[in-house]
Amino acid sequence: MAELKFRVIFSPGMFFGPGKADLLDLIVAEGSIAAAGRRMNMSYKRAWQLVEEMNAMFAVPLVASARGGSGGGGAWLTEAGQAVLAEYRGLQRDLAEAGAARLTALEARLAGTDPQG
Amino acid sequence: MAELKFRVIFSPGMFFGPGKADLLDLIVAEGSIAAAGRRMNMSYKRAWQLVEEMNAMFAVPLVASARGGSGGGGAWLTEAGQAVLAEYRGLQRDLAEAGAARLTALEARLAGTDPQG
């Protein structure tokens, strides 16, 4: 089935898309930036880079982290991080719904499409 | 102002996005695949490649072309090409409308955003 792939462009080179959203979701699931990055086959350095990019982009950092301690530190989403992630996932749902009929119309014109299907 | 950048993914490696839509628009404007490609800083080869990709992807070719003759040939959109392009531009409008409020909400959280603005 056809689907939309999109990112939000705030300005040239400044965007938020599926990779950043998935990384935030995995930071929630894993409690660690490194572990979240590994789940996306991303190097430790790349995962931190994306987090730093997001934290610098928004007025309030999206991801907070602590080093060491008996719990071994970890990472979590701030309230701003949770809000941005929820807004993006909501956007994703809204766009999928708004685009559904036209995606179906485009898909019906593809080669090898069964006109009876 | 924030904007959406999207493409429609029909299957892995098979997609329709802003580059293909712009090329179709320019083929209408220029009446020539080569001239349309030049307007996008695209090589002749690349423009033809994209046209062949689109023509193979859909049940009916989107672009027709003629070589030589007293008119020097040229290229134009078939009825299917006009329909696909119109559907894509409609999708673009629908998504921009459906996403507007959430884009504004995301944008308000950016660094350097004037909360009074």
Side-chain angles (χ1 to χ4, degrees):
Chain A
M1 230 189 57
E3 56 182 57
L4 290 171
K5 185 166 182 183
F6 75 94
R7 43 172 59 172
V8 179
I9 314 284
F10 293 114
S11 63
M14 197 178 175
F15 66 88
F16 191 94
K20 285 171 182 161
D22 289 350
L23 186 61
L24 292 183
D25 266 332
L26 287 168
I27 288 170
V28 174
E30 299 287 340
S32 147
I33 294 169
R38 274 196 302 273
R39 295 260 312 260
M40 295 179 75
N41 295 315
M42 210 178 260
S43 70
Y44 180 78
K45 194 182 155 192
R46 176 69 183 141
W48 268 94
Q49 226 170 33
L50 283 176
V51 165
E52 277 164 10
E53 204 178 303
M54 287 190 269
N55 281 354
M57 189 184 301
F58 289 93
V60 178
L62 304 192
V63 178
S65 59
R67 235 177 223 290
S70 64
W76 59 92
L77 300 197
T78 62
E79 212 178 294
Q82 293 170 28
V84 165
L85 182 58
E87 201 70 68
Y88 180 84
R89 293 302 185 199
L91 180 61
Q92 209 168 19
R93 282 191 304 272
D94 291 352
L95 298 186
E97 196 184 311
R102 290 196 192 268
L103 286 196
T104 302
L106 284 170
E107 206 170 15
R109 291 185 175 276
L110 292 179
T113 304
D114 175 6
Q116 309 305 319
Chain B
M1 231 191 54
E3 57 183 56
L4 290 172
K5 184 164 184 188
F6 76 93
R7 44 171 60 170
V8 178
I9 315 282
F10 293 114
S11 63
M14 197 177 173
F15 65 89
F16 192 94
K20 285 171 183 160
D22 289 351
L23 186 61
L24 292 183
D25 266 331
L26 288 168
I27 288 170
V28 174
E30 299 288 340
S32 145
I33 294 170
R38 274 196 301 273
R39 295 261 311 262
M40 295 179 75
N41 295 313
M42 210 177 261
S43 70
Y44 180 78
K45 193 184 154 189
R46 176 70 183 139
W48 266 93
Q49 225 170 34
L50 283 176
V51 165
E52 278 165 10
E53 204 178 302
M54 287 190 271
N55 281 354
M57 189 184 303
F58 289 93
V60 179
L62 305 192
V63 178
S65 60
R67 235 178 224 289
S70 64
W76 59 91
L77 301 197
T78 61
E79 211 179 296
Q82 294 170 27
V84 164
L85 182 58
E87 199 71 66
Y88 180 84
R89 293 301 185 201
L91 180 62
Q92 209 168 20
R93 282 191 305 273
D94 291 352
L95 298 186
E97 196 185 311
R102 291 196 192 268
L103 286 195
T104 302
L106 284 170
E107 207 170 14
R109 291 184 175 275
L110 292 180
T113 305
D114 175 3
Q116 309 304 315

